[in-house]
Amino acid sequence: MYSLISLVQQTNIDKKLKNAPDSGYQVGVVIGYLLPFVVFVGIAYYMYYRAKNRKDFD
């Protein structure tokens, strides 16, 4: 799974952070790197919660 994600993204975070002009850019890089994963986890949790509370399985 991790190898698939790394193949899709192909980004070098360490290089970007090392060459960052200021700390605001560093924060933006970190947020931009983590935000897709946070959104994915949120969507997965929402789908799990909705499926768990379905009434048509009773």
Side-chain angles (χ1 to χ4, degrees):
M1 178 74 175
Y2 181 73
S3 62
L4 177 65
I5 292 172
S6 66
L7 286 174
V8 172
Q9 289 188 334
Q10 293 292 324
T11 58
N12 192 351
I13 298 300
D14 295 331
K15 183 178 173 184
K16 285 185 178 183
L17 291 177
K18 190 180 293 182
N19 297 331
D22 60 358
S23 64
Y25 183 81
Q26 292 176 347
V27 171
V29 168
V30 172
I31 290 173
Y33 180 71
L34 295 177
L35 189 63
F37 297 111
V38 171
V39 170
F40 177 71
V41 167
I43 291 170
Y45 178 76
Y46 174 74
M47 291 172 61
Y48 167 76
Y49 179 77
R50 293 280 295 178
K52 181 180 161 189
N53 291 328
R54 285 181 63 178
K55 302 293 182 192
D56 60 346
F57 286 125
D58 293 337

